[in-house]
Amino acid sequence: MNNLFDSIIQKDKELLVFLNNLGSEQWDSFWLLITNQFNWTPLFLLIFYLVIKSFGWKKGGFVILALIVLVAFSDQFVNLIKNSTARLRPNNDPEIQHLLSILKRPQSFSFISGHATTSTFFSVFVIFLLREKYKFIYLILFFPLIFAYSRLYLGVHFPIDISLGIVTGILLANMYYFLFKKVEKKLFV
């Protein structure tokens, strides 16, 4: 079993080195822009606008509060996992760091990706909320995909960190939406 785990980790490192080395200097500033969550503010403002337009101020305010709680919970959940697993980030991994193009040097741990988990959690939950009102809302899925890929490009996460972050985000969004609907029924009958 240990050999299988070691083999998977080694393949994960090899895949990251391959993907990271596909980049070029001319794209570096673009991916640094993409990875910064504050640069996505226009998307978040659009979502807030669509929520208020769809649900009105009272229920819309509740939905926006739910989105804020979602992000805070996801951040803390990811940090708990990162600190429990303590996997080094690629930029800090002595075995491969010299093979990577590293544009950021975070010191926290790698597994799982907070960018992938939280952006997927947020996006899938928003789709559940708005899918009946806006067919184009599915386009929001480009956000977590591009956001998460930026982490590979920058050399700060492994593919497994990203993949399992996305899966975790999908699972959390489903559970959170189920809970949200129960609370919503009690508050807005």
Side-chain angles (χ1 to χ4, degrees):
M1 188 67 161
N2 238 3
N3 287 341
L4 176 62
F5 180 75
D6 291 342
S7 175
I8 290 170
I9 295 299
Q10 190 57 40
K11 293 294 181 199
D12 192 34
K13 290 180 179 187
E14 291 169 10
L15 180 58
L16 172 66
V17 170
F18 172 75
L19 292 172
N20 177 264
N21 282 284
L22 292 175
S24 66
E25 280 186 43
Q26 70 188 38
W27 288 98
D28 290 355
S29 58
F30 171 76
W31 289 107
L32 284 167
L33 186 79
I34 291 294
T35 206
N36 185 335
Q37 60 267 32
F38 296 109
N39 294 329
W40 291 89
T41 300
L43 175 66
F44 304 139
L45 292 175
L46 173 64
I47 297 303
F48 288 176
Y49 168 76
L50 293 175
V51 164
I52 296 299
K53 184 178 174 193
S54 298
F55 300 108
W57 284 103
K58 187 175 180 182
K59 191 171 178 182
F62 172 71
V63 171
I64 290 171
L65 178 63
L67 288 167
I68 293 167
V69 169
L70 176 155
V71 171
F73 170 79
S74 184
D75 182 58
Q76 294 308 305
F77 181 74
V78 165
N79 285 332
L80 176 68
I81 293 173
K82 282 183 180 188
N83 292 328
S84 298
T85 59
R87 183 180 191 192
L88 288 178
R89 286 184 182 266
N91 61 289
N92 297 322
D93 186 331
E95 184 182 334
I96 63 165
Q97 66 185 12
H98 64 284
L99 300 171
L100 299 172
S101 170
I102 299 171
L103 301 174
K104 291 185 72 116
R105 297 194 179 275
Q107 297 304 308
S108 60
F109 294 116
S110 187
F111 182 82
I112 55 180
S113 166
H115 279 68
T117 304
T118 303
S119 63
T120 302
F121 188 175
F122 179 88
S123 298
V124 172
F125 183 70
V126 166
I127 288 170
F128 288 155
L129 292 170
L130 300 175
R131 64 186 164 192
E132 293 174 12
K133 299 184 185 294
Y134 306 102
K135 298 299 176 204
F136 69 84
I137 200 65
Y138 288 93
L139 293 174
I140 197 175
L141 291 175
F142 283 111
F143 163 54
L145 295 175
I146 294 168
F147 198 45
Y149 178 77
S150 73
R151 309 308 282 169
L152 299 171
Y153 185 95
L154 299 174
V156 296
H157 276 296
F158 294 99
I160 285 176
D161 305 338
I162 300 295
S163 303
L164 291 178
I166 290 170
V167 169
T168 302
I170 292 168
L171 293 172
L172 288 173
N174 278 278
M175 291 186 290
Y176 195 72
Y177 184 69
F178 177 78
L179 178 65
F180 172 84
K181 293 307 276 182
K182 287 198 168 293
V183 173
E184 178 190 43
K185 272 186 184 172
K186 289 187 182 200
L187 294 177
F188 300 97
V189 177

